[in-house]
Amino acid sequence: MSPFRVAALAATLALAGSASAQPLEISRAESRVSSPAPAQTFTGVARIDRLFEQLHGTDASGGLVAFEPGARTAWHVHPGGQTLVITAGTGHVQRWGEAVQEVRVGDVVRIPPGQKHWHGAAPRSAMTHLAITEPRDGSVVQWLEQVSEEQYHSTPSPQVATPAASQPPPAARRPSGELQQRLAPGLASLTDDVLYGDVWQRTALSPRDRSLVTIASLIATGRTAQLAGHLTRGLENGLLPRETSGTLAHLAIYSGWPNAVSALAVYEQVYAARKVDVSGLVAAPSAQPASRDAARAPAVDAAVAAAAPKFAQLTNDVVLGDLWQRTDLAPRDRSLVTIAALASQGDHEQLAPYVRRALDRGLTRDQIAEALTHLAFYAGWGKAGQALTILSKTADR
């Protein structure tokens, strides 16, 4: 649990009254069940954890609301007002007649009683907040109309620091982070202006696919220190947990078991933070019973069967006959992940057949080229350049 969430919950529990007057009460996290936010009063996907109802000495109630990117409440009014503590991600909040405001982790929003407003995630970022609400005259909330797309996508007004806000300096909110800005300003400039300000914004490849390429590259090269942020970003960009877990299994074959197993601790951390129901991550079935790939088995047999018959058998039956048929990743995504991993590892002599396979499975030449351009920032310019040379020779045949 993040420090902000701990602090917010601690502050909320302090409302319960004097410790000497009331017994200590602990509501265990595992005892609570998230419920989907109702479609009548929310747009998009959001989940609600009700933390407490009317603690001793106060009528306040509190809950955690987790919004997926683009999700938000309808317009509504709290007769007794409401306090929001942003515990994760980036969000938007708007009071009727005013500009949309951007909010980030650690920000506290005080909504006065009777004010029409809405709040939710930013278009490209999930957001979670703790909401503390008190009733007035027996009413907690009055729901109104849904927030229109035009209202939601209006440009947020610039953040203005106030003495009460206790916000971090704007520089710390740049993608590069404080350490790059302080120790390597040239790197910080490239990170902010080129990588995130340009490359990640290009429409030639979707944010989801860019995340898939990045995650594959980081796992394939064993760079787990950067994996947590990009795995979180990938889930925010639309990747499903079964797809990210399927990527991990796929890369165990193409990058080796140590790289895949080393990434497990990061996956556990991110899934726990996002409350992913891992019980649903059952082994993905194959689209068809495991069998040899009739088109490729003869080539495999001719190349290696004489020297290593077991390797040929495993390649045909396990890799081509099972792994590539599993349903947790679409065939085009398996191709994208494989190309990203091979290019990141410098296994360029293996790329040509997988490029041809990708073109047969829904990826375009331009998408592969954009993926390799993106990969230059995560695997290095030389490796991406070599892979692009092979793409040019293969796709132009």
Side-chain angles (χ1 to χ4, degrees):
M1 184 176 292
S2 72
F4 289 118
R5 183 174 294 183
V6 172
L9 291 177
T12 302
L13 292 175
L15 298 173
S18 168
S20 60
Q22 300 294 340
L24 177 67
E25 296 183 14
I26 300 176
S27 172
R28 300 294 182 186
E30 59 269 20
S31 68
R32 294 188 296 272
V33 178
S34 295
S35 58
Q40 299 93 323
T41 51
F42 285 73
T43 298
V45 178
R47 298 194 68 81
I48 301 173
D49 278 319
R50 301 196 182 279
L51 301 180
F52 57 86
E53 302 287 346
Q54 299 186 349
L55 294 173
H56 301 298
T58 178
D59 290 331
S61 60
L64 281 173
V65 186
F67 299 85
E68 292 299 312
R72 68 268 191 184
T73 69
W75 290 99
H76 61 287
V77 171
H78 295 289
Q82 186 179 58
T83 299
L84 305 176
V85 181
I86 312 305
T87 62
T90 301
H92 291 173
V93 61
Q94 182 181 22
R95 187 163 67 169
W96 185 260
E98 297 181 355
V100 174
Q101 299 286 330
E102 183 178 273
V103 289
R104 293 175 178 266
V105 176
D107 290 348
V108 178
V109 182
R110 174 60 184 162
I111 300 160
Q115 296 293 317
K116 182 177 178 180
H117 69 287
W118 66 269
H119 38 95
R124 290 180 168 230
S125 173
M127 187 270 285
T128 301
H129 65 50
L130 170 66
I132 305 170
T133 312
E134 289 202 49
R136 178 170 292 179
D137 299 326
S139 176
V140 174
V141 61
Q142 298 168 1
W143 290 105
L144 304 169
E145 73 272 19
Q146 295 282 5
V147 176
S148 70
E149 290 298 312
E150 181 180 4
Q151 291 168 332
Y152 176 70
H153 288 287
S154 60
T155 304
S157 63
Q159 294 183 342
V160 179
T162 64
S166 185
Q167 296 174 337
R173 292 178 177 170
R174 290 160 50 190
S176 55
E178 186 273 336
L179 198 61
Q180 283 189 35
Q181 294 160 34
R182 179 164 54 87
L183 300 181
L187 175 60
S189 176
L190 288 170
T191 299
D192 297 332
D193 301 335
V194 180
L195 179 54
Y196 288 99
D198 180 7
V199 174
W200 272 91
Q201 304 303 319
R202 287 173 54 82
T203 58
L205 201 66
S206 70
R208 173 195 178 277
D209 286 351
R210 290 187 186 277
S211 286
L212 196 60
V213 167
T214 308
I215 290 168
S217 177
L218 294 176
I219 294 173
T221 54
R223 293 166 180 165
T224 55
Q226 289 76 38
L227 182 57
H230 281 289
L231 181 56
T232 300
R233 185 186 186 97
L235 294 170
E236 292 172 353
N237 283 341
L239 286 172
L240 300 175
R242 63 178 174 82
E243 294 173 326
T244 52
S245 291
T247 297
L248 195 60
H250 189 88
L251 292 179
I253 293 291
Y254 285 92
S255 299
W257 250 250
N259 282 350
V261 173
S262 295
L264 282 174
V266 178
Y267 269 64
E268 182 181 38
Q269 170 194 338
V270 172
Y271 283 1
R274 295 182 63 84
K275 297 185 178 179
V276 171
D277 181 9
V278 295
S279 66
L281 299 176
V282 296
S286 297
Q288 62 186 38
S291 62
R292 295 161 66 93
D293 185 327
R296 299 194 64 189
V300 172
D301 288 340
V304 298
K310 184 61 177 180
F311 181 85
Q313 179 255 315
L314 289 170
T315 300
N316 286 323
D317 295 346
V318 176
V319 180
L320 302 178
D322 178 15
L323 185 69
W324 276 86
Q325 304 299 327
R326 292 186 180 183
T327 57
D328 48 4
L329 275 180
R332 74 174 293 279
D333 292 342
R334 288 197 184 278
S335 290
L336 189 61
V337 165
T338 307
I339 289 171
L342 293 175
S344 296
Q345 295 167 163
D347 294 333
H348 298 106
E349 67 278 4
Q350 302 293 323
L351 273 176
Y354 286 103
V355 167
R356 290 191 289 270
R357 190 183 186 98
L359 294 172
D360 290 339
R361 282 159 174 76
L363 282 171
T364 67
R365 182 193 183 283
D366 288 344
Q367 287 174 327
I368 299 172
E370 186 69 22
L372 293 173
T373 301
H374 182 97
L375 203 64
F377 290 85
Y378 293 93
W381 226 256
K383 290 177 180 176
Q386 286 181 274
L388 283 165
T389 299
I390 292 170
L391 171 64
S392 297
K393 293 177 180 178
T394 305
D396 291 343
R397 289 177 183 174

